[in-house]
Amino acid sequence: MHPTTAGSRIRLRAAAVAAALGALLLAPLPAAHQAEAAATLTNAGFESDATGTANPAGWSTYSAAGQNAASFTEAGGHGGGYRLSHWSASAYKVETYQYLSGLADGTYTLSAWVRSGGGQNSAYLALRNCGSAEQRTDLPVTSASWIRIVTPVTVTGGACTVSINSDAKAGNWLNVDDLTFTAGSTGLTVRGVDVSSLRKSEDLGGTYRSASGTTGDAVALLKNAGANYGRLKVWVNPADGYNDKARVLATAQRIKARGMKLLVDFHYSDIWADPGAQTKPAAWQGHSYAQLRTDVYNHTYDVLNALEAQGTTADMVQIGNEINTGMLWPEGSTSNWSQLAGLLDSGVSAAKAVSSTTQIALHLANGGDNALYRTWFDNATAQGVRYDVIAFSFYGYWHGALSSLQANLDDVSARYGKKVMVAETAYPFRLDSEDAHENIIDLSSELVAGYPASAAGQSAWLRDVMNVVEAVPNGRGLGVFYWEPTWTAVPGNGWDPADSSSGNGWENQALFDYDSKLLPAANWLAHR
C-alpha cells in the first residue's frame, strides 16, 4: 500500500533548534524545529493541523541530511482523520519527536497505532533521554491493517523524549497515529522454547554451537540468549520411546538446572495431536468414556508427580495440544462438549492435585481466528472448565495477519479475563532442505509478506510476534514460545516416531543454522 500521493508531499522551511533541546538529544539537531515541552503528549492523534503539516503542533522534526520533508501529516488516520507519515521518493533518515518535561519519576508506557510497508534499514518508536536506558520498539510489517505497539521506560529526572524514527530506502513508508504516554510498564514474563526434539537429536549425534561456533549445550545456549521457559510435549507410549515420561523427566532436569521454568504439554496420544488428529493412545483404545477420564487423570498425575518428586515441578501445564476440535476422539470431540469438559477437568484436577500453584493452559491453533476462540471458550466457560491461561499457536503463513492475532489476543483476554500467550510460533531462515525431506515451508509464495526467508526475516518475525503479545492491554500478554528451535536435520530424528527413515521438514525453521550455529533470532528471547 502506498502511504501517500504526490499531492501530499511537502517541503519544509528550516528552523533553528534551541540550545537547551539540542543538549537533551543524543545528537546535535541543527535543522530541527522545537515544540514546546509539556508533561503530556500534545496532538497525539495529529489532528490539529490537518494534512500536509511537516511540524504538527507539539511535534518537532529532525534530519541530519536536511530531509525533514520526509515527515508529514496526511489524511487516513487510525482513530481520526489524519496520521503522521514518513515517506520520500529517495532514501531518507528522519525523526519526529516530542519532548516531555515535568514528569513524576517512575515507569511509563508509550502506546501507538502503526503501519509500515517494510524494507527500511530501521523503523521504530523510541523513548530516550529519560534518565534510563533508551527503549525501542520496531514497527512490524503491516501495510493493510493498523497494529498497536508499546514501549516502556523508567523516567528519572522528570523528562523524556518520544521519538518516531525512519532510516529508509526510497519509497519506504510508515504511518503512526493515536499515541498515548501513561504511567505503568510492560514486558513479557514468558520467553520460551519448545525443546521436545532435543534429547533424540543429541542421542543421534546432533550438536549445537554458539553464534561464534563454539560447541555447547543447546539448553544453555538458548538460556544465555534470553530464554527463561522450556516446553516439553508428552506422548503416552510413542513408538521410538522419546517424548515419553522418562525422557521428559531427564530434559526437565536440564531445563530447571539452568534456572528456567517448565511447561509440560500433554498430547494424550502416542503421536502428534493437532486440530486434524487427536488419536487415542493404543493402550486406551476401547476404553469407555468413564475409563478415559480415569486414564487422563492417572497419566497426568503420574508424569507431574514424578517431575515434582525429582525437584522439577511443572510451572505450567497444557491439558491437550491444539484442541480446536477436542481431544481423544471421538469421545472428547467438540461435538460433545460435556464429555470434552469432563476429560479436561480430569487433567486439571490431576495437575492441581500435584501442585496447586501450577498454571493451567488450554491451547488452540489458528491464533488469528477470533470466531473459533470465542465459540470454544464460550463453551468451556458454560461447562465450568477451569484454566488460567489461553494459549495460541500462530504461524503467519497459516494463521493470518499479525493484526488478526492482535485483535484475537485483545478480545479473548478481555472477554474471559485471562492471561494469553503464543505457545507456538516459528519462521524459516531459508527455504532449501538440509536433508532429503521436503520442508513444510519451502516456497517463497508461502512466506508472510515483508518477512523474507532469511536470518533477518526470522528475527523480525519473532520480534514482532513478541511485540504484539507485549501490547495486550492490562498486562495480560504473558509471553511467547518458539517451537522446536533445536529440531535440526539429524538423520533418524524425523517427524514420524514409528519410522526412523522419515525426514525433518522443520530444520529451516530451527534457531540453529545448517552449520548448527545459533541464529540471530535467538537474541529476541531476551525481549524485555
Side-chain angles (χ1 to χ4, degrees):
M1 171 183 282
H2 201 285
T4 188
T5 63
S8 65
R9 294 176 220 157
I10 57 174
R11 298 186 179 276
L12 304 181
R13 290 174 296 179
V17 178
L21 180 59
L24 286 165
L25 297 174
L26 295 179
L29 306 179
H33 174 84
Q34 180 184 1
E36 183 179 353
T40 58
L41 280 173
T42 300
N43 192 21
F46 303 100
E47 300 297 311
S48 297
D49 305 284
T51 188
T53 302
N55 284 309
W59 295 89
S60 304
T61 306
Y62 170 67
S63 172
Q67 297 167 308
N68 291 32
S71 173
F72 51 89
T73 57
E74 64 178 341
H78 166 261
Y82 302 97
R83 67 195 183 204
L84 177 78
S85 293
H86 286 181
W87 177 85
S88 178
S90 57
Y92 64 95
K93 293 183 181 180
V94 70
E95 174 188 13
T96 308
Y97 64 93
Q98 187 170 151
Y99 171 63
L100 301 176
S101 64
L103 298 168
D105 287 352
T107 57
Y108 291 84
T109 294
L110 175 71
S111 174
W113 288 91
V114 302
R115 299 193 304 184
S116 172
Q120 299 96 332
N121 299 315
S122 61
Y124 60 92
L125 305 185
L127 294 172
R128 53 173 59 117
N129 309 312
C130 306
S132 61
E134 177 178 323
Q135 297 295 314
R136 295 185 178 186
T137 303
D138 296 272
L139 271 65
V141 181
T142 170
S143 57
S145 303
W146 293 91
I147 282 183
R148 185 185 62 260
I149 58 176
V150 295
T151 310
V153 74
T154 298
V155 172
T156 302
C160 194
T161 300
V162 176
S163 178
I164 303 161
N165 298 264
S166 291
D167 177 357
K169 304 177 183 71
N172 292 162
W173 63 271
L174 64 76
N175 303 145
V176 177
D177 202 4
D178 295 337
L179 297 93
T180 64
F181 186 79
T182 56
S185 189
T186 63
L188 295 180
T189 302
V190 173
R191 305 182 307 279
V193 286
D194 186 315
V195 290
S196 297
S197 67
L198 177 60
R199 176 64 183 272
K200 186 175 182 179
S201 173
E202 292 173 329
D203 287 352
L204 294 170
T207 58
Y208 299 88
R209 300 174 184 168
S210 68
S212 63
T214 302
T215 301
D217 174 75
V219 176
L221 292 170
L222 292 166
K223 166 65 187 313
N224 292 340
N228 66 359
Y229 236 106
R231 181 178 187 249
L232 298 173
K233 68 173 173 279
V234 185
W235 289 338
V236 176
N237 188 25
D240 62 0
Y242 287 89
N243 301 297
D244 65 351
K245 173 185 169 183
R247 262 46 181 265
V248 166
L249 286 169
T251 307
Q253 286 183 316
R254 296 171 61 184
I255 289 169
K256 289 281 192 169
R258 296 292 175 182
M260 300 165 68
K261 292 188 175 182
L262 174 65
L263 167 59
V264 178
D265 172 17
F266 285 94
H267 282 227
Y268 301 112
S269 181
D270 293 334
I271 197 168
W272 304 99
D274 56 46
Q278 295 284 337
T279 306
K280 288 195 290 286
W284 301 0
Q285 293 290 336
H287 286 192
S288 66
Y289 169 68
Q291 182 60 47
L292 287 172
R293 288 200 61 176
T294 301
D295 293 334
V296 168
Y297 186 97
N298 290 344
H299 171 61
T300 307
Y301 187 91
D302 181 46
V303 173
L304 296 180
N305 189 55
L307 284 165
E308 184 183 50
Q310 72 171 10
T312 58
T313 301
D315 299 281
M316 190 183 302
V317 170
Q318 277 182 224
I319 306 301
N321 186 76
E322 294 189 335
I323 51 176
N324 304 29
T325 50
M327 65 187 201
L328 295 167
W329 291 347
E331 287 82 1
S333 166
T334 49
S335 63
N336 190 332
W337 252 101
S338 64
Q339 289 195 172
L340 173 57
L343 293 168
L344 293 170
D345 183 70
S346 292
V348 173
S349 295
K352 291 296 188 180
V354 173
S355 170
S356 62
T357 60
T358 295
Q359 296 284 286
I360 303 299
L362 298 180
H363 173 216
L364 308 186
N366 303 86
D369 188 345
N370 183 239
L372 164 68
Y373 279 71
R374 278 192 167 212
T375 299
W376 203 98
F377 282 97
D378 280 357
N379 276 298
T381 300
Q383 294 290 333
V385 177
R386 297 167 290 159
Y387 64 97
D388 305 296
V389 177
I390 298 175
F392 299 60
S393 287
F394 186 76
Y395 300 97
Y397 37 75
W398 294 326
H399 297 156
L402 281 168
S403 56
S404 297
L405 172 65
Q406 179 164 83
N408 198 19
L409 289 166
D410 290 358
D411 179 67
V412 301
S413 64
R415 185 177 180 87
Y416 306 106
K418 301 293 185 180
K419 297 271 190 178
V420 291
M421 71 178 187
V422 171
E424 294 185 21
T425 194
Y427 203 77
F429 62 90
R430 58 195 293 171
L431 292 175
D432 61 312
S433 295
E434 187 177 9
D435 61 12
H437 190 79
E438 181 180 2
N439 286 335
I440 293 173
I441 302 298
D442 65 343
L443 300 173
S444 58
S445 60
E446 296 173 312
L447 299 173
V448 179
Y451 296 88
S454 64
Q458 184 187 56
S459 294
W461 178 258
L462 180 55
R463 176 199 74 198
D464 292 345
V465 170
M466 296 180 94
N467 286 339
V468 165
V469 176
E470 184 187 14
V472 175
N474 300 311
R476 290 189 175 128
L478 192 59
V480 175
F481 283 86
Y482 195 94
W483 195 70
E484 289 286 13
T486 62
W487 197 6
T488 53
V490 176
N493 193 15
W495 68 270
D496 186 352
D499 180 4
S500 61
S501 67
S502 65
N504 178 4
W506 201 259
E507 73 269 18
N508 67 325
Q509 300 194 62
L511 290 181
F512 293 86
D513 67 16
Y514 289 4
D515 292 321
S516 301
K517 292 182 180 179
L518 192 67
L519 284 156
N523 294 326
W524 284 102
L525 295 169
H527 189 287
R528 57 178 176 257

